[in-house]
Amino acid sequence: MIRDTSATDRVIAAPASARSPKRLLLILAGVLAILVVGWSVHAWLGAERSVNGSRLRFAEVRRGEFTRDILANGRVVAANSPNLYAPAAGTVKLATRAGAAVKRGDVLATIDSPELDSELERERAILARVDAETSRARIESERNRLTAAKAADEAEVARIAAARDLERSERGFKKGAIAEIDYLRAKDALQAAEIRAKHAAADSELNVEAVGFEQRTREQELRRQRAVVGDLERRFDELTVRAPVDGIVGTITVTDRAMIARDAPLMVVVDLSRLEVEIEVPESYADELGIGMPVELTLPNGKSTGALASVSPEITGANVLARVRFDDAEPQGLRQNQRVQARVLIEHKPDVVLVQRGPFFDEDGGRYAFVVRDGIAERRPVKFGATSLEAIEILDGLKPGERIVIAGTDAFEDAERIRVGQ
């Protein structure tokens, strides 16, 4: 009995034309795999250190909008909160209390200053004396002017009379009625009268100028004394301290019936009709602040926008104080000294190559970046541009789509190539 055909079967070899393409593909695939593995092994073996990727933070280089900004803390303050000071030394008597609502012109305090009062009375007495002396000098000057004018007029009359005598003497001399000596005497008299009239007129003019100069001097002294008295009267009126604006009395720095010195602080009046935000910017950004820069404000009840209205010219506690004015109407519910956060927008670029900011920028001095490819982080020189709180502008050295290490590069030490493990 025949069980199967195994006894009669035989193996027939495939023709060479059927197995050559498969073998060629297998050979090419093997060679390619060997090259890839060899390159990977070479790159892997060429790395100087190995770091676990979980210890690193990566970011992709991209193209987008770049906004350079500053984050600062601030507080809500009154746009107008004048400080009131004592105009003179004396005893203060308060007429209000902290937190009281006041109107412009309301009396807040009065100051009793005996020193200023006596000084004002003394200067008023001097003013009365100078005024009387000026009036008397005005009368005396007018008298002197009239005396000089009288002398000039009399000299002129004498000259006219001498001219008439000479005319009569000349007619009589021609007719032989008078002697020549009398004619010459009349002629000499006329010349003398002309000289006296000439000098009298000159003296009168000089006297008028002298009188005018003296009068102007007296008038200037009178005006000066009036200015002194006016200044003292102004200071005396300021002893009644009044509210400069509508608002609320803030801090009162003196006690009732206390003795105070001149220019001592009295109180603060807060005008709550218009509020602003005062922010503290680190001094390293002081040169970059400018009036009108846009500001984004994060308030307890929402967000708002504004612009820098003023920048302090001095640095206080390593910070520069700046005032932010709201663009639109002030948000509701704001209170004095309420804390807020501000983001000052310094610069905006619509289309730049950038990457997320990280510690690598400070650790590598802002000159290098580790570019990650196929598990290898390679150090590459990079030229960075402007920086913000969130991003860094890239000018040269990186292209969009590349991945770099932005945190954890302190573990690389001085290595140029790093293996990034899983």
Side-chain angles (χ1 to χ4, degrees):
M1 183 177 73
I2 300 174
R3 295 181 179 179
D4 52 31
T5 61
S6 59
T8 61
D9 292 340
R10 60 190 181 90
V11 178
I12 300 176
S17 59
R19 67 173 181 264
S20 295
K22 293 182 179 179
R23 292 187 60 188
L24 181 60
L25 291 175
L26 291 175
I27 293 173
L28 290 176
V31 171
L32 182 61
I34 292 172
L35 291 176
V36 171
V37 172
W39 183 87
S40 300
V41 171
H42 174 73
W44 185 264
L45 294 176
E48 302 174 27
R49 295 177 61 87
S50 177
V51 177
N52 194 321
S54 61
R55 299 174 53 188
L56 307 177
R57 189 154 58 94
F58 307 92
E60 182 177 343
V61 179
R62 59 185 177 86
R63 183 177 293 276
E65 295 185 354
F66 176 81
T67 301
R68 190 180 178 200
D69 52 9
I70 303 172
L71 193 62
N73 294 322
R75 61 190 182 96
V76 178
V77 296
N80 186 19
S81 55
N83 292 272
L84 304 182
Y85 298 89
T91 304
V92 61
K93 180 181 178 182
L94 297 177
T96 186
R97 65 183 185 278
V102 295
K103 296 292 185 180
R104 180 184 178 93
D106 289 351
V107 176
L108 305 180
T110 56
I111 300 174
D112 182 16
S113 178
E115 179 182 357
L116 182 59
D117 186 63
S118 61
E119 184 179 0
L120 176 58
E121 292 300 325
R122 183 173 61 253
E123 295 298 334
R124 281 176 174 171
I126 295 175
L127 175 61
R129 176 178 59 82
V130 173
D131 191 12
E133 291 178 353
T134 302
S135 300
R136 185 167 53 251
R138 188 182 300 114
I139 296 173
E140 187 67 24
S141 298
E142 184 66 16
R143 180 185 294 113
N144 293 336
R145 187 186 65 80
L146 292 175
T147 301
K150 177 182 177 182
D153 293 340
E154 289 176 349
E156 180 64 19
V157 171
R159 185 194 66 80
I160 295 174
R164 290 174 180 168
D165 290 342
L166 177 59
E167 185 179 355
R168 286 194 299 268
S169 299
E170 186 178 5
R171 286 198 303 268
F173 174 71
K174 290 181 179 179
K175 295 180 178 180
I178 62 174
E180 183 179 3
I181 188 65
D182 294 332
Y183 169 69
L184 295 176
R185 189 179 293 115
K187 194 173 183 179
D188 294 338
L190 175 60
Q191 291 178 351
E194 289 176 346
I195 292 174
R196 285 193 298 270
K198 179 180 179 181
H199 284 284
D203 290 342
S204 178
E205 292 179 358
L206 291 176
N207 189 60
V208 170
E209 292 182 3
V211 167
F213 178 78
E214 182 69 19
Q215 186 63 29
R216 287 192 298 271
T217 302
R218 294 288 183 175
E219 294 290 343
Q220 290 175 357
E221 185 178 357
L222 179 61
R223 285 195 296 269
R224 174 190 172 279
Q225 189 60 31
R226 283 175 177 170
V228 171
V229 172
D231 180 65
L232 289 174
E233 289 177 344
R234 177 186 58 79
R235 290 174 55 191
F236 188 81
D237 292 339
E238 290 176 352
L239 293 179
T240 302
V241 182
R242 301 180 183 274
V245 295
D246 297 343
I248 296 177
V249 178
T251 304
I252 297 180
T253 57
V254 296
T255 58
D256 193 26
R257 304 293 181 176
M259 289 291 299
I260 57 174
R262 180 178 178 180
D263 297 328
L266 299 177
M267 63 188 70
V268 179
V269 179
V270 181
D271 180 8
L272 297 179
S273 63
R274 188 162 59 91
L275 299 176
E276 292 181 349
V277 175
E278 185 180 71
I279 61 175
E280 298 178 349
V281 180
E283 62 178 319
S284 56
Y285 296 99
D287 295 337
E288 303 184 41
L289 297 178
I291 305 299
M293 284 184 173
V295 181
E296 295 179 357
L297 299 171
T298 302
L299 306 172
N301 54 353
K303 292 184 177 293
S304 183
T305 60
L308 286 183
S310 65
V311 179
S312 174
E314 62 180 358
I315 296 175
T316 304
N319 292 314
V320 176
L321 296 179
R323 286 289 187 97
V324 179
R325 185 172 299 158
F326 292 98
D327 287 336
D328 301 321
E330 298 171 4
Q332 298 294 324
L334 292 182
R335 294 182 178 273
Q336 179 88 346
N337 291 324
Q338 196 170 24
R339 307 301 298 183
V340 299
Q341 275 196 338
R343 180 169 172 253
V344 183
L345 306 180
I346 299 179
E347 184 181 11
H348 179 75
K349 298 180 180 180
D351 186 20
V352 297
V353 178
L354 53 88
V355 71
Q356 181 182 349
R357 183 166 183 168
F360 83 99
F361 182 74
D362 300 319
E363 293 170 357
D364 295 327
R367 296 178 297 168
Y368 302 96
F370 281 88
V371 182
V372 181
R373 185 174 60 181
D374 298 330
I376 299 296
E378 185 175 358
R379 190 178 188 183
R380 182 188 300 177
V382 179
K383 184 178 181 181
F384 294 102
T387 62
S388 69
L389 297 174
E390 299 177 354
I392 306 174
E393 181 186 12
I394 299 173
L395 302 179
D396 191 23
L398 295 175
K399 297 180 180 179
E402 293 183 317
R403 294 176 67 243
I404 68 171
V405 181
I406 63 172
T409 56
D410 54 333
F412 295 176
E413 297 181 355
D414 295 330
E416 295 289 334
R417 294 169 59 85
I418 303 296
R419 292 191 297 271
V420 180
Q422 298 296 329

